[in-house]
Amino acid sequence: MNKTAFLSRFGPWAMVTGATSGIGREFADQLADMGMNLVLVSRCQDALDGVAASLSKRSGIQTRTIALDLSDPGFLAPLKTAIADIDLGLIVSNAGADHMGALLRIPLPDLQAMQRLNAASHLDMAHGFGTLFMEKRKTAGLIFVSSTASLQATPLLANYAGAKAYVMNLGAALNSELQGTGIHSTVLVPGPTKTPAFTDRTDIDLKTMPMPPMKTRPVVRAALQGVMQNKPIVIPGTLNRVMDWMGRRVLTRGMSAGMWGMLMNKAAPDTLKVKPRV
Ligand SMILES: NC(=O)c1ccc[n+]([C@@H]2O[C@H](COP(=O)([O-])OP(=O)(O)OC[C@H]3O[C@@H](n4cnc5c(N)ncnc54)[C@H](OP(=O)(O)O)[C@@H]3O)[C@@H](O)[C@H]2O)c1
């Protein structure tokens, strides 16, 4: 990718949410390598400070860290205040998490907090920073991180898959609405990816999953190329694209949900499944 063209379109500052781990950390690394100054957001101040110090040392960039819980419905106002003096040109709305298990076994407040993080926070980022870009920038970009779980109903990840489908349709529609404005919008739709959230999980048997996890590097590279080219949706990895094609062209929605239900039920222990009625 042409770094000069990327910097001139999106520089000098980018913001990455969920920047302390996994895919977000990889975004921070690759953007820092291109010379972007970075606003780093997650909940843990110590972890943010550690990432900021290592990026400044490695790439000589400027950083600002902001500790916020993005499942808090009021996060946008303090976030905008904290960056008011910065010329931001790229937002990576990445922070997210899943909660594996049958919907009715998970307490409603937990599901609601997950929905705020995985869906509503992306709406706030899109509106909050989209309007800022329209006011202040000729060119800018928004990247939203969804998931291949969004491509079909996914039993035992029902709330997560629903929220990620929202993110995919939000970002792709925004891409169309923003045509001709100079503001790009791209949704990254990763499949299983080697991050702590995936590789450290103990709730399901990962060996039964059909898709091997990808490394974060090509996943993030595809997203950065995608936003440069203003692609509405980027699905990294051939196998993930084949699964997407099958889901849209070969299987019915019911068949997809049934197939994923079988896979997830095989991987999950009984404690995560619907309790049998006695
Ligand atoms: N890994 C995969 O296989 C995979 C596949 C498809 C999609 N994704 C998506 O990719 C994104 C990144 O996932 P990952 O695998 O890289 O996860 P990860 O390694 O667990 O990193 C998640 C990051 O988000 C931050 N975060 C979590 N909850 C937050 C909250 N409430 N407020 C603010 N920050 C929060 C975490 O920091 P703190 O905990 O310190 O806040 C951390 O920096 C997510 O949206 C995920 O759904 C991942």
Side-chain angles (χ1 to χ4, degrees):
M1 187 165 30
N2 182 329
K3 289 184 190 178
T4 313
F6 193 93
L7 274 176
S8 99
R9 175 163 279 279
F10 301 119
W13 281 83
M15 178 192 295
V16 181
T17 70
T20 53
S21 174
I23 293 173
R25 175 64 206 259
E26 181 69 37
F27 267 110
D29 284 349
Q30 292 193 27
L31 289 167
D33 288 348
M34 284 198 276
M36 279 277 207
N37 300 316
L38 289 174
V39 177
L40 307 166
V41 182
S42 78
R43 286 169 300 182
C44 175
Q45 187 64 54
D46 286 350
L48 286 167
D49 291 344
V51 174
S54 117
L55 290 174
S56 302
K57 195 171 163 197
R58 172 173 140 167
S59 308
I61 59 157
Q62 295 178 60
T63 57
R64 182 168 298 180
T65 59
I66 304 170
L68 278 174
D69 184 343
L70 301 183
S71 68
D72 174 351
F75 80 82
L76 184 62
L79 184 57
K80 283 183 87 170
T81 304
I83 56 86
D85 59 325
I86 281 180
D87 182 16
L88 265 180
L90 180 66
I91 300 294
V92 182
S93 186
N94 160 75
D98 68 56
H99 191 151
M100 182 82 67
L103 191 84
L104 302 187
R105 292 191 86 145
I106 303 173
L108 185 56
D110 294 0
L111 291 166
Q112 289 166 331
M114 281 287 159
Q115 194 196 44
R116 283 197 298 274
L117 173 64
N118 289 324
S121 78
H122 295 273
L123 172 65
D124 288 11
M125 297 294 287
H127 199 275
F129 294 99
T131 49
L132 194 78
F133 288 161
M134 289 294 261
E135 273 167 35
K136 297 201 164 168
R137 301 258 321 179
K138 284 205 169 69
T139 58
L142 298 154
I143 297 175
F144 302 95
V145 180
S146 175
S147 162
T148 51
S150 72
L151 301 173
Q152 66 286 308
T154 309
L156 302 187
L157 277 177
N159 187 40
Y160 177 78
K164 291 294 188 181
Y166 171 84
V167 175
M168 187 172 64
N169 287 311
L170 177 86
L174 205 54
N175 174 284
S176 174
E177 289 183 11
L178 292 173
Q179 290 295 319
T181 63
I183 301 168
H184 293 185
S185 170
T186 293
V187 183
L188 172 65
V189 184
T193 308
K194 278 187 193 168
T195 70
F198 184 81
T199 52
D200 296 356
R201 72 183 315 149
T202 51
D203 48 1
I204 59 164
D205 182 2
L206 293 174
K207 290 193 294 298
T208 65
M209 286 286 138
M211 273 134 17
M214 287 181 68
K215 290 188 176 148
T216 53
R217 198 166 176 72
V219 169
V220 166
R221 197 185 307 121
L224 295 177
Q225 281 165 351
V227 76
M228 190 64 197
Q229 295 162 6
N230 202 17
K231 287 191 179 165
I233 294 174
V234 170
I235 304 178
T238 308
L239 203 49
N240 293 326
R241 286 193 291 277
V242 169
M243 297 293 279
D244 171 47
W245 179 84
M246 276 179 55
R248 284 182 294 111
R249 299 287 174 87
V250 181
L251 306 174
T252 63
R253 284 177 195 277
M255 284 156 81
S256 281
M259 186 186 84
W260 277 97
M262 277 189 324
L263 286 169
M264 298 300 282
N265 273 305
K266 199 170 157 199
D270 286 345
T271 48
L272 294 184
K273 298 174 193 168
V274 173
K275 277 186 194 159
R277 292 225 264 180
V278 282

